[in-house]
Amino acid sequence: MIIVKIGGNILDNPERLQSFLADFAALPGPKLLVHGGGKIASAFGQRLGISPKMVEGRRITDAETLELVTMVYGGLVNKQVVAKLQALGCNAIGLTGADANIIPAQKRPVQSIDYGFVGDVAGPESINVDALGAILEAGLTPVFAPLTHDRQGNMLNTNADTIASVLATALAPKYNVQLVYCFEKKGVLQNAEDDDSVIGHITTEKYKTLKAEGVVNAGMIPKLDNAFAALSQGVQAVQIGDAAAIAQMAAGGGQAGTLITL
């Protein structure tokens, strides 16, 4: 079972997206895709006069922004990806966490920052594995938008990396799960300015060192935190790398990207 999260500059680049989806559709066995779409939501919001509100790189989701991301993530991006996969012979089904109650979440409590309608998933135990398993066993490929719900009738904007990690850990008792984070870089980089400075393998100890030295920072930290959380809860392998190398990463063994192990 392979779970792939796609984000970065792939979704808004038609050629790279088409190439990635062709490779994803060709992967054998059961698979699941989680997508982001923040750049597309920001661009669409500008057309509607809604400016993104960001604090420390994270989107503040007020009521107006929630409507925007629900439309863009759950509608525009999700259905375009599903339609493209259908054209490639992959029988995909587009989902949010609200569908079949697969991913309930809690609205993030207000502390020093009010993130608005942002959802935090309690953990793999909260995932409706029976419903998700039935979809997979029907031969369908789920494509998840980064949206959850609070069981009170409200949608919640939720980090796509987190959704991929939690789905992976929830399915780990049932499948031999491999989690792959795809974006526009070749992997975790030693030098952010050098695309070829890929760190081939990161263990828990090496991660502590890289953080202390400031080699990994900003958006890469939550991605790696999610990777290690998944590994600690039964996921077999996690890799991070270029969407163009999804076939090599899916083959395992650290052939491409950055391999993450405990």
Side-chain angles (χ1 to χ4, degrees), residues 54 77 103 126 136 165 169 172 255-256:
M54 311 291 282
V77 176
I103 317 174
S126 64
L136 289 162
S165 175
T169 54
Q255 295 182 47

Side-chain angles (χ1 to χ4, degrees), residues 13 31 58 101 117 120-121 126 175 194 197 202 213 258:
N13 183 314
K31 51 188 176 275
R58 294 179 182 269
N101 190 32
F117 292 96
D120 291 323
V121 184
S126 64
Y175 297 89
D194 180 1
S197 65
I202 298 177
E213 292 173 348
T258 301

Side-chain angles (χ1 to χ4, degrees), residues 21-108:
L21 291 176
D23 291 339
F24 176 80
L27 296 176
K31 51 188 176 275
L32 185 156
L33 184 63
V34 181
H35 65 77
K39 286 182 69 178
I40 297 171
S42 295
F44 208 87
Q46 296 285 10
R47 288 161 61 184
L48 296 174
I50 302 170
S51 297
K53 303 173 185 73
M54 311 291 282
V55 175
E56 297 172 357
R58 294 179 182 269
R59 187 183 299 270
I60 303 298
T61 307
D62 58 17
E64 189 177 48
T65 302
L66 180 66
E67 290 182 341
L68 171 69
V69 297
T70 301
M71 287 190 294
V72 174
Y73 299 162
L76 181 68
V77 176
N78 189 265
K79 299 314 171 192
Q80 283 184 340
V81 168
V82 168
K84 289 178 188 302
L85 286 172
Q86 293 293 354
L88 291 161
C90 177
N91 195 7
I93 181 168
L95 298 165
T96 71
D99 295 295
N101 190 32
I102 291 175
I103 317 174
Q106 294 82 42
K107 185 172 179 285
R108 184 171 296 167

Side-chain angles (χ1 to χ4, degrees), residues 149-201:
H149 76 124
D150 67 356
R151 300 183 199 251
Q152 308 297 316
N154 301 300
M155 297 299 291
L156 296 169
N157 186 11
T158 302
N159 181 275
D161 289 347
T162 303
I163 287 178
S165 175
V166 174
L167 289 174
T169 54
L171 290 168
K174 198 170 183 177
Y175 297 89
N176 182 343
V177 177
Q178 180 184 6
L179 175 60
V180 181
Y181 287 110
C182 285
F183 61 151
E184 69 278 3
K185 301 290 185 182
K186 293 180 180 178
V188 182
L189 303 178
Q190 184 75 38
N191 176 0
E193 305 301 315
D194 180 1
D195 282 351
D196 292 319
S197 65
V198 177
I199 303 168
H201 185 198

